Amino acid sequence: MSTPKAALDSGTAPTTGPAHGRIPGYSGLRELGRGRSGVVFLGRDDGGRPIACKVFDARGLTRLVQVVFLGSPNPYVWNEDAVRCAFLRRRILARLVEHWFAGRLCVAGALDLVWNEEHRAFELQAEFSPGVPPPLHHAGRTSGTGLVRELVVEIMAPLQRHLIEAGFPGLVWQAGKGNPVALNNFLLERLDEGRHRWRWIDLESGVPALAPIDPRALFGFYLPQSFRLGRPLFDDVDTQRLERYLDQEGAALQALHGVDELEELRSATRKLARCQTRWKELRRHERGIGHALARGRLNEESAEWFRTRPVRWYTQEGLRYLSSAWRRACALPGWLGRCFVRIPWRASARKAWSFATSGRFRRRSALHFVAQRIRAWERRGQLTRAEALHLRRHLPREESSAYLTDFAVHLALKVPVKTFEYWVLPTLWAVGWLGDGALALGLLMSGPMVRTLYTSVRMAQSLRRGRELPLVALGVGLVPVLGNFAYPVQILYSSTEEQDDLARFILYDGCARLGRHVPIWGGADTLTEHVFNRLPDRLVNLRRRRSSGSAGLQPGSGSSTAPLG
């Protein structure tokens, strides 16, 4: 395993040299997280202390975006200069962030840089953080509700301004400027005496900064920066501006870190400038050749031959991609057939029949679904053991279990509805039996129509039996997407506040799941998930005010008057 000094000073590319960066037993290490730029595993240093081992990688749509805009998959996978830049940026920013935030925010500093032979990719070893993601909001949570706002307003926004001022325009993407996914680049670390701090754990981008959710960030910052550089913004550092910033803040940095540390910052900045220049000035075909060389698809002799023949390289790569696409297309029917055969049709049919004919089975399915969601939150650390136990205690004695069963029916109806939307309607449109307007209307209103039909039948049953009419569920069910939560809202409306914990949990969980499934900007622990997670707040607060007002009119509520009867 190389040392940090060897990684920084060696002139030999590890892609063809060292094969000793592999950690013994690497495959057995616990995965800590997976992002667009790589996978992070829990490792141990020579002293047995935990470290974060980030193996750079590129897959799926992220890989395609990288090839289109950067000329090759993730440069941190194969380019020594690129990964040295990542190492140096962490070293520099660890000092600067300490200067900017005085302990409220720190950086997961770089420890070592090695070539991982098992994955044939570079590996960045960094400080391990015992922190946790910002907590989601849910029923019963009274502490930590303002942590997301603190992170976004008091940490990430000032960090973005400091980065721009210091010459790190490419790093504001990972700091969250117009990028809601960047929220999961930060962890909350609990300290003693009730204090806490934030740690910036991921500073390396997976894609160029060209898809912010805020158009003002795109047209006001990212595109102008890209035009200035003549390339997509991808973790770029203005090293000349950084040198001027170090001179400007030299006295304060020297007082905080000392003379030697300040000189080390200046030296690291000069090294960063050299590495970044060599990396960014590679021609497009040279990047693709470098990736193929690192992954073992080319030897050094072939790589040298292709470097002087870009047209031959592009021709070969084009034929390779076409051949790969053809093989995948030919393999698709077989894959679909295997998936079809693996489906337990008999067991699925029995369950579907039981669900359709047995109210007890539907109720048990509903409770099982809610119990699964409670376990999922507990595994993520978003529910404490006490909070999970509190919710589970409500499961077997939920007085509004009839509405909970109706919620399970709405979820089950999604299967035929989605089949109708994704297969039947497009087929009818393709053969000309449906117009464009009818197709759009069908895609938008199929779910609301089916939910309304089911709730209308339930209303007729309730009317015949003299029970409460689910009018709230009928109205909410008309709303596309959010109508799936019609019956949790009905439970919230119909029950007392002490009995609606499950309903509130289902609402918060369901909205968070919607946020995780938003394309591009969604995912676990993103700002998108947190924003969606807070959507039921207004409804819950209205419900609480209504309950409080009703309670104030109850005889014996808050007074010594005995209840009537």
Side-chain angles (χ1 to χ4, degrees):
M1 184 177 294
S2 61
T3 64
K5 182 174 176 56
L8 293 173
D9 297 337
S10 169
T12 304
T15 50
T16 56
H20 305 293
R22 181 178 179 273
I23 302 174
Y26 188 90
S27 297
L29 294 182
R30 180 164 65 92
E31 182 177 317
L32 294 176
R34 183 181 296 268
R36 290 172 177 168
S37 61
V39 187
V40 181
F41 296 90
L42 176 64
R44 300 282 174 179
D45 64 8
D46 294 337
R49 291 167 299 189
I51 58 174
C53 304
K54 182 176 183 179
V55 181
F56 292 100
D57 195 6
R59 300 182 182 184
L61 182 59
T62 298
R63 182 187 179 98
L64 177 62
V65 171
Q66 291 166 349
V67 171
V68 170
F69 288 101
L70 303 177
S72 74
N74 192 346
Y76 296 125
V77 169
W78 58 270
N79 188 278
E80 184 185 10
D81 287 313
V83 80
R84 284 181 178 180
C85 287
F87 185 96
L88 290 164
R89 285 196 306 265
R90 287 200 184 218
R91 283 293 183 90
I92 295 169
L93 282 169
R95 272 65 172 187
L96 292 181
V97 164
E98 186 178 353
H99 166 57
W100 293 334
F101 288 92
R104 293 191 67 195
L105 173 69
C106 57
V107 170
L111 301 175
D112 205 349
L113 180 62
V114 300
W115 172 253
N116 188 296
E117 185 65 24
E118 181 175 340
H119 291 257
R120 296 201 64 81
F122 277 108
E123 174 185 310
L124 179 67
Q125 297 177 359
E127 295 173 338
F128 171 75
S129 171
V132 295
L136 289 170
H137 189 54
H138 63 78
R141 170 157 282 165
T142 58
S143 62
T145 55
L147 287 171
V148 174
R149 184 185 184 281
E150 175 189 316
L151 175 58
V152 172
V153 176
E154 300 179 24
I155 301 296
M156 295 172 70
L159 177 61
Q160 295 159 22
R161 294 193 294 269
H162 286 306
L163 289 170
I164 295 171
E165 182 184 5
F168 293 89
L171 271 294
V172 298
W173 178 254
Q174 290 298 90
K177 187 174 180 64
N179 178 21
V181 179
L183 194 79
N184 59 23
N185 294 336
F186 298 83
L187 291 181
L188 173 70
E189 294 182 347
R190 300 288 185 181
L191 306 176
D192 55 359
E193 299 178 356
R195 296 178 300 115
H196 67 268
R197 70 180 177 186
W198 298 94
R199 187 178 291 267
W200 192 8
I201 60 169
D202 190 357
L203 283 69
E204 295 78 39
S205 298
V207 293
L210 292 174
I213 196 170
D214 185 355
R216 295 172 299 178
L218 175 64
F219 294 104
F221 182 78
Y222 290 115
L223 287 183
Q225 289 288 335
S226 297
F227 286 132
R228 181 182 65 82
L229 294 170
R231 60 176 179 264
L233 194 63
F234 186 79
D235 292 348
D236 292 85
V237 180
D238 185 342
T239 53
Q240 292 182 350
R241 186 169 184 173
L242 176 57
E243 289 177 347
R244 293 195 299 269
Y245 183 82
L246 293 178
D247 291 336
Q248 173 187 330
E249 298 292 319
L253 291 168
Q254 182 174 317
L256 180 63
H257 298 295
V259 178
D260 293 341
E261 288 281 351
L262 178 58
E263 185 53 40
E264 185 179 329
L265 282 176
R266 292 193 171 108
S267 174
T269 300
R270 291 191 291 269
K271 291 178 182 178
L272 176 60
R274 293 194 296 270
C275 292
Q276 182 173 258
T277 299
R278 288 195 296 265
W279 164 31
K280 299 290 185 178
E281 289 185 353
L282 280 176
R283 291 177 293 177
R284 186 178 179 88
H285 75 283
E286 291 177 329
R287 299 171 190 170
I289 292 169
H291 177 263
L293 179 63
R295 300 304 254 184
R297 290 195 291 107
L298 288 179
N299 56 35
E300 191 64 52
E301 183 180 356
S302 300
E304 283 297 327
W305 190 84
F306 276 117
R307 285 190 183 102
T308 59
R309 297 168 177 84
V311 175
R312 296 292 295 271
W313 170 254
Y314 288 132
T315 301
Q316 174 180 289
E317 285 296 280
L319 292 174
R320 187 175 70 86
Y321 279 116
L322 287 174
S323 175
S324 176
W326 175 252
R327 287 197 304 271
R328 291 174 183 269
C330 292
L332 182 61
W335 178 79
L336 291 174
R338 289 191 297 273
C339 292
F340 186 83
V341 170
R342 289 175 186 153
I343 296 176
W345 292 104
R346 184 174 298 178
S348 300
R350 284 199 301 267
K351 289 181 180 179
W353 176 255
S354 298
F355 193 91
T357 58
S358 171
R360 179 177 297 178
F361 186 86
R362 288 194 296 271
R363 182 178 183 274
R364 193 162 61 244
S365 299
L367 298 178
H368 178 68
F369 171 80
V370 178
Q372 279 187 319
R373 299 311 309 153
I374 294 172
R375 282 196 298 271
W377 277 58
E378 199 173 8
R379 284 195 299 268
R380 286 183 63 185
Q382 296 290 356
L383 278 178
T384 65
R385 183 174 181 83
E387 291 167 341
L389 287 173
H390 171 73
L391 290 174
R392 289 191 182 103
R393 279 197 295 268
H394 282 263
L395 282 174
R397 58 195 175 113
E398 174 61 48
E399 295 185 11
S400 301
S401 58
Y403 288 146
L404 202 60
T405 303
D406 292 326
F407 170 62
V409 174
H410 271 192
L411 293 180
L413 288 173
K414 291 179 66 174
V415 176
V417 168
K418 294 304 178 185
T419 302
F420 180 75
E421 290 177 349
Y422 295 157
W423 295 96
V424 177
L425 286 178
T427 301
L428 295 177
W429 175 80
V431 299
W433 291 1
L434 278 183
D436 296 343
L439 174 65
L441 184 63
L443 293 174
L444 182 66
M445 296 304 298
S446 296
M449 289 172 62
V450 170
R451 288 192 295 267
T452 301
L453 179 61
Y454 172 80
T455 307
S456 298
V457 173
R458 291 288 289 115
M459 287 185 65
Q461 293 174 344
S462 299
L463 188 63
R464 189 174 65 251
R465 297 169 184 172
R467 295 179 178 175
E468 178 188 44
L469 300 180
L471 294 173
V472 174
L474 182 67
V476 176
L478 291 171
V479 182
V481 182
L482 295 178
N484 290 308
F485 308 116
Y487 278 100
V489 175
Q490 179 70 57
I491 297 173
L492 197 66
Y493 177 83
S494 302
S495 61
T496 65
E497 188 172 347
E498 290 75 17
Q499 296 170 336
D500 65 9
D501 282 351
L502 279 181
R504 286 187 285 147
F505 172 76
I506 293 170
L507 286 174
Y508 284 119
D509 169 64
C511 288
R513 290 169 67 198
L514 288 178
R516 289 196 297 274
H517 289 89
V518 171
I520 302 176
W521 302 298
D525 302 315
T526 62
L527 184 59
T528 307
E529 182 189 24
H530 281 274
V531 169
F532 273 74
N533 171 238
R534 298 304 295 251
L535 289 180
D537 275 358
R538 184 174 294 275
L539 177 65
V540 170
N541 290 335
L542 287 173
R543 166 70 179 82
R544 284 175 173 168
R545 284 198 292 270
R546 186 178 69 85
S547 298
S548 299
S550 300
L553 297 177
Q554 300 274 349
S557 175
S559 69
S560 59
T561 307
L564 298 178

